[in-house]
Every structure is written in structure tokens, then in C-alpha cells.
Amino acid sequence: MLKRLQNLVLVGLTSTILSLLALDAHAQTTPLISAVETVPTADQWLSPGDRLQVRMVGQPNSRVTFLNGQPLTELAPAQAKGQEGVYQGTYVVQPGDTLNNRPVEVQLLSADSVLSVGFTQNKVRFLNPNQPELARTRTALAYLNYGLGEDRLGGAKLGYLDSLVVLHLTGRVGDKYRVQLAAGQVAWVPQEVIRMLPPGGFVPTSLTGSWSVSGDSLYDYVRVPLTERLPYCSQLLQNPARLVVDVFGATSNTNWITQRTGLQELGAVYYEQPQPDIFRLVLPLRHRQSWGYHIRYQGNTLIVQVARPPAKLRLRGLLVAVDAGHGGTNVGAAGASGAREKDLTLAIAQKLQQELKKAGARVVMTRETDATLEISERVNLLRQRRPALLVSIHVNSAGNTAVQGTSAFYRYVAFRPLAEALYQQMQGTGLAGWGLVGSFNFGLNGPTEFPNALVETAFVSNLQDEQRLTSPAAQQQMAQAMTRGIRDFLKATRAKGPRGWLLKQPAQD
């Protein structure tokens, strides 16, 4: 009996020791830190006043720090979608802080005093305000975004810039750089449209010289001399119609504005200085309907080129641009029968071309074959040809096959009348009205040089709409409807007429 009891005790001790060894082995193989990341999860440049946000997942009930002692707080499971061991911390960058483009280190001290160290995959750099980071735009199609948001159309755009514009970069998230436009005003620029400048440059600023307003046989021009190509943004405002251009980093030294003879579209121009580093040009327009404008630099002189209405507001003799969406390798949407957007848009565009020519219009097509064309190629072509207006043709698609109807899209409110006229006439073909959509962030609606609209003719994802889209007779009806829509737009513009020269500063909206 005694020997049996001794054997049982030995077996029990052996089992306990094995269990302890297994627990110890598990503790050694299970990491105390399972994930560390910056939020957003991307390489970052930060300036004084910016927030560095770090998240870590690891062993619960631990003491976690980063940046040499800054605490990370363990979230209650209810704050972390039921997960335990989620820690978050924020550090506001201070002047003089240094972090030279490296991962952020996180230290975890467990409840049983085991220390573990982890690192973010992304790198962080603290910028020195005394050594400004500068860049120049690479192309005449560079653009600024309002923020970091993205969808299939890209980020929401603040506006486009000419080439060689100097930008002051004060932050970075991934492949986007924050641009300091003025005190309290920033934008974001994609890496692909800029080139970095070597260190040692000054933050771009300029005094404005005295400027001139003149006209030639085609356009009215405003010329503002600067000492540097500064960033700008613009918008067409209504009631009354006027073009407003903000030049960032510019301060007035304008002592006169010379308005020469030959002006046909610009009224009594003037400027404002809403804050010390924003110079605002206010350019009243003579006509209620704007026909577009273009901003560029010639040397360091900012030039605003304002289009005039066509000599005769009718289709005969008018240069109209027609864009068949997609093409080549860019197939677009497809229907249940296999109908492809790139083929449908080209068929409708070619019929619209013929309808417009029958009415006496001149037509420029962005594509006439199954060609692959980038948006930038189409925009450059249109800038060279200078059409009076543009209609871009697409077909729509939705996951819900019951959705159907036609729609029209525009970006700038001044160009809404064209989209609205096209939309009304497209509904006259028997298609249901799906909607009139504004502030449309599509590349081909971005140009300001001419009124433009995009027509989503119908939903190829809907069986009934698809049958219309593939019918040559229905395609012809759509082309005729769009031609009538352009006529309606021209007629309405004639009815509005000029609003007379503005001899005093207009009230703001």
C-alpha cells in the first residue's frame, strides 16, 4: 500500500511539473505584443502641433509606453469591438522634437514584469520648421485635394495648378503631402504630381505688382506679376456672376489696375486681402452664363484667361466636344448580355457627332475608335482644340438590377445649366429620371475652360435599360435628345443675355 501511494505521488508530481513546463513553453512562444501600428497606417511626416497616434495589441493588464515613456491606454473591450489588450496613445509633436524617419518603438511591461519591445512597420519623421520642405508641381495637370479621403474617383479636389508652382510641404501620410497654403489653410498633393526641391529654399511668398486687364480677339486676360509661382484656387460664383481667384502666399503691393480697351467679358475688376497671406482677385463677369476660364503662369506672372460667349449662341458653326467614355483596355461596365460600356458609348457618341454636324456644328471627338485614352490625354486634347462646350457619354451600372434611368453630372455650379438641359431632354426619350448630380469629382468634369457635363445614358445593369442601350434606334433617340439639350442650353443662355457692366464692387453671396 505504501509503495502504491508513493507511486501515485510521483505520478502527480511529474504531471504537475510537465504542466508547468508546458505553460512556460507557451508563455515563451506567445508574443506579448502581437501588433503595433501608426494611425493612419502609413509613413508620416509630422510638424509641431501634429498628433502622432499609435495603436498596439498585446497582453492585457500591462504597462505600455512609446516615445520614451509616453503612455498608451488600454481600451475597455467595449471600445475595441470586444477585443482585450488594445492600447492607444497620442502624442502632440513639440518644437525641437526629433524623430528621423524611423519606426516608432513601443515597450510593454507585463503584470509579471516581463518586458517586450515592438515597432511600427511604418516610419515617422518629425519635421524641423527651420528647414522647410519644398516641392514644385511637375505638370500643368497637377492638383490639390481637400483631404486624405479616397474613393473610385479619387480624393475631393480643391483645384488644379500649372506646372512649376512652389509648394510648402508640412506633412505626409503615405504618398500624399500636406501643403501649407496660408495660415490656417492646408491642402494635400499626391506624390506623383510633384518633385522635391533640394534643402535650403525659402517658404514661397510674394508681393503683388500693379496688374493689367486686357483683351484680344479671343479672350479677356488678367495679368498679375509675382516674384514666385505661388499656388492658387478659383471658383465661379453666381448672383452676380464673377470669378474669384485666391493666390496663397501673396500680399498686395498693387497700387493700380490698368483696364485696357478690348474687354468683352470682364467688368470692373478689383482685389481683396482677406488675410495677410491670401491675395484675392475678384473678376465680375459681364454675362450670367460663364463660358470658362484658364489659369496659368507666364514666367512668374499669373495669367487668368477668361472665355467669352460664342459670337452666335446657336449650333451652326459652334465647336462642340463629344467624349465617348472608356475605350480600349478600359472596358467600363458590362450588362448581362455582354454589352460593354466602351462599345455603347462610342456608338452613341458617333450618332451624336452626326446629329450635331447635321445641325451645322463642328465636332471634336476625344476618340473615334476603340482606343485606350487616359483622362489626361483627353483633357490635353480639349485644351488644344478649345471647344465651346463638352458632352461626355457614359452608361451607368448598379449592384441592384432594379435600378434604372438616365442622369447627368456636372462639377461646377456655373455649368449646371448645360447638365440640366441634357437631363431634361434625355428623360423625353422615355427613360426614367435617376437624378441630376453636382460637384461630380470626375477628371473630365474638372477642366474650367468650357462648360461641360457627363451624361449617364442608362443603366446597363438593368435588363430594360440594357435593351435600350443596345438598340441602334434607341441610341439614335439619345443622340437626338442630347442635341436638343445643347440647343436648349444655348437658347436659355440667349434669353438671359448680358447683365451689363458692373461699375461697383458686387455684394458677396
Side-chain angles (χ1 to χ4, degrees):
M1 176 65 72
L2 181 59
K3 188 173 184 178
R4 185 182 299 172
L5 288 172
Q6 288 173 339
N7 289 338
L8 288 172
V9 170
L10 287 171
V11 170
L13 286 172
T14 301
S15 177
T16 301
I17 291 170
L18 291 173
S19 297
L20 290 172
L21 289 172
L23 287 171
D24 185 60
H26 178 72
Q28 291 179 7
T29 58
T30 303
L32 299 180
I33 297 175
S34 57
V36 187
E37 63 183 13
T38 58
V39 181
T41 308
D43 291 347
Q44 297 182 38
W45 290 0
L46 301 174
S47 292
D50 289 340
R51 292 181 175 88
L52 171 61
Q53 300 179 138
V54 175
R55 179 183 294 126
M56 191 213 74
V57 181
Q59 182 168 306
N61 304 314
S62 300
R63 180 177 179 270
V64 184
T65 59
F66 74 116
L67 287 186
N68 301 320
Q70 302 299 320
L72 271 75
T73 301
E74 184 173 7
L75 303 181
Q79 295 176 280
K81 299 180 180 179
Q83 185 176 359
E84 294 184 332
V86 177
Y87 299 79
Q88 291 187 170
T90 298
Y91 177 73
V92 178
V93 181
Q94 302 298 312
D97 284 348
T98 57
L99 192 62
N100 190 19
N101 201 37
R102 62 177 178 82
V104 178
E105 179 182 307
V106 172
Q107 295 187 350
L108 179 149
L109 185 65
S110 68
D112 52 358
S113 299
V114 177
L115 180 66
S116 184
V117 177
F119 296 90
T120 60
Q121 289 187 346
N122 301 110
K123 298 177 181 179
V124 176
R125 176 187 173 196
F126 292 164
L127 297 179
N128 182 351
N130 297 320
Q131 298 174 356
E133 292 285 346
L134 305 177
R136 281 192 187 270
T137 54
R138 295 175 54 203
T139 74
L141 288 175
Y143 58 90
L144 298 174
N145 285 347
Y146 283 102
L148 292 171
E150 285 284 351
D151 63 14
R152 66 185 182 88
L153 295 176
K157 292 179 179 60
L158 173 65
Y160 290 82
L161 297 175
D162 198 0
S163 59
L164 302 179
V165 172
V166 182
L167 303 176
H168 178 206
L169 309 181
T170 60
R172 176 189 175 192
V173 175
D175 62 352
K176 295 183 178 61
Y177 293 84
R178 184 177 61 200
V179 179
Q180 189 72 43
L181 296 174
Q185 190 162 348
V186 300
W188 293 83
V189 63
Q191 184 177 23
E192 64 194 35
V193 303
I194 61 171
R195 61 177 176 86
M196 301 297 297
L197 294 179
F202 294 136
V203 173
T205 61
S206 177
L207 293 174
T208 66
S210 295
W211 37 292
S212 66
V213 189
S214 61
D216 60 16
S217 60
L218 296 175
Y219 299 97
D220 288 357
Y221 301 89
V222 173
R223 293 179 172 86
V224 182
L226 303 171
T227 55
E228 186 58 271
R229 291 193 178 206
L230 299 177
Y232 52 83
C233 73
S234 62
Q235 55 182 329
L236 282 168
L237 301 178
Q238 296 181 309
N239 302 319
R242 63 205 186 278
L243 171 60
V244 176
V245 182
D246 284 346
V247 185
F248 301 106
T251 303
S252 176
N253 192 37
T254 296
N255 292 314
W256 63 80
I257 303 171
T258 303
Q259 302 183 62
R260 297 187 171 91
T261 57
L263 296 174
Q264 296 184 30
E265 182 57 22
L266 290 175
V269 303
Y270 61 101
Y271 75 87
E272 299 170 345
Q273 190 83 50
Q275 63 185 60
D277 52 359
I278 297 180
F279 183 78
R280 176 170 294 166
L281 289 74
V282 184
L283 312 178
L285 302 178
R286 185 175 182 181
H287 297 86
R288 293 180 177 90
Q289 176 60 56
S290 168
W291 286 86
Y293 63 96
H294 179 64
I295 302 176
R296 58 186 171 88
Y297 277 100
Q298 187 174 50
N300 290 333
T301 297
L302 183 74
I303 298 178
V304 184
Q305 175 180 300
V306 181
R308 300 164 181 166
K312 295 183 179 179
L313 291 169
R314 63 185 187 187
L315 273 175
R316 183 167 299 280
L318 195 71
L319 181 60
V320 178
V322 176
D323 170 64
H326 302 273
T329 58
N330 188 349
V331 176
S337 72
R340 302 180 301 182
E341 181 172 8
K342 68 171 186 174
D343 302 324
L344 298 171
T345 59
L346 183 57
I348 297 168
Q350 288 172 334
K351 290 178 172 60
L352 177 57
Q353 178 189 31
Q354 294 306 313
E355 287 295 320
L356 291 170
K357 284 184 174 179
K358 281 197 299 184
R362 296 176 295 132
V363 182
V364 54
M365 302 283 284
T366 58
R367 71 178 179 99
E368 298 189 71
T369 61
D370 186 21
T372 302
L373 287 175
E374 298 295 332
I375 294 294
S376 58
E377 295 178 273
R378 301 176 198 236
V379 172
N380 285 329
L381 168 68
L382 295 170
R383 281 183 170 177
Q384 292 169 9
R385 297 297 303 275
R386 300 180 179 181
L389 56 87
L390 163 70
V391 177
S392 181
I393 300 171
H394 286 251
V395 304
N396 219 333
S397 183
N400 181 355
T401 58
V403 177
Q404 63 181 135
T406 189
S407 51
F409 295 68
Y410 64 94
R411 178 165 182 181
Y412 308 110
V413 67
F415 298 162
R416 175 189 168 111
L418 174 61
E420 192 168 21
L422 291 164
Y423 180 51
Q424 293 297 328
Q425 283 294 340
M426 284 294 291
Q427 291 177 80
T429 66
L431 288 162
W434 187 80
L436 184 64
V437 181
S439 298
F440 187 52
N441 184 37
F442 181 59
L444 212 60
N445 293 102
T448 59
E449 283 85 351
F450 40 79
N452 56 78
L454 184 148
V455 178
E456 293 278 8
T457 49
F459 280 83
V460 73
S461 52
N462 175 270
L463 182 59
Q464 184 178 351
D465 275 9
E466 184 187 16
Q467 290 172 347
R468 284 177 177 267
L469 287 167
T470 55
S471 164
Q475 293 173 357
Q476 190 68 36
Q477 285 184 325
M478 294 178 192
Q480 291 169 344
M482 283 184 260
T483 302
R484 290 194 299 272
I486 297 172
R487 274 203 181 99
D488 289 348
F489 168 69
L490 296 172
K491 182 179 179 181
T493 304
R494 284 200 305 271
K496 292 176 183 176
R499 62 184 184 88
W501 290 102
L502 291 172
L503 300 178
K504 61 180 182 179
Q505 296 181 1
Q508 301 298 305
D509 281 346

